[in-house]
Amino acid sequence: MQVKKKDTVLVLSGKDKGKKGEVKSVNPSKNTVTVIGINMISKHVKPSQNKQGGIQKMEAPLDASNVAVVCGKCKKAMTPKIKVLENGEKVRVCRKCNETLI
């Protein structure tokens, strides 16, 4: 997976196509990502002793193939490439401007 937590991503398909947001969580086993404020759903919650019930808005996971990482320097969406440094460390690099992603 090229997407990591706290990356800024652009949604490529679906009802929120074209929106940008920050990745809240990543699930590599299911190949999904959850983005803050994107793919909002309404969930009906039953009341309990600790919580009040009602309808809550929450983010649903998106497939990782439907998002692209946005470079912090050039502000373009792309799939990062992996570069191996001399010391053996792997880093993600922007395909457009060759800048290392944090």
Side-chain angles (χ1 to χ4, degrees), residues 18-100:
K19 292 185 182 178
K20 290 183 183 178
E22 183 179 321
V23 176
K24 181 179 177 182
S25 65
V26 178
N27 189 348
S29 62
K30 293 185 179 179
N31 199 33
T32 59
V33 295
T34 305
V35 184
I36 297 172
I38 305 292
N39 199 24
M40 298 297 286
I41 59 168
S42 298
K43 185 172 181 176
H44 296 263
V45 180
K46 196 169 185 180
S48 66
Q49 281 186 327
N50 301 334
K51 286 194 226 179
Q52 183 180 7
I55 301 171
Q56 290 183 347
K57 294 277 190 180
M58 59 186 343
E59 296 97 357
L62 290 165
D63 196 82
S65 64
N66 294 337
V67 295
V69 179
V70 176
C71 177
K73 185 179 177 189
C74 63
K75 307 292 184 207
K76 293 182 181 175
M78 49 76 208
T79 303
K81 61 182 177 181
I82 306 298
K83 184 178 181 181
V84 181
L85 302 176
E86 291 90 22
N87 60 2
E89 184 183 355
K90 292 181 181 180
V91 293
R92 297 180 306 155
V93 178
C94 176
R95 289 184 185 270
K96 313 281 183 182
C97 65
N98 292 325
E99 187 70 24
T100 303

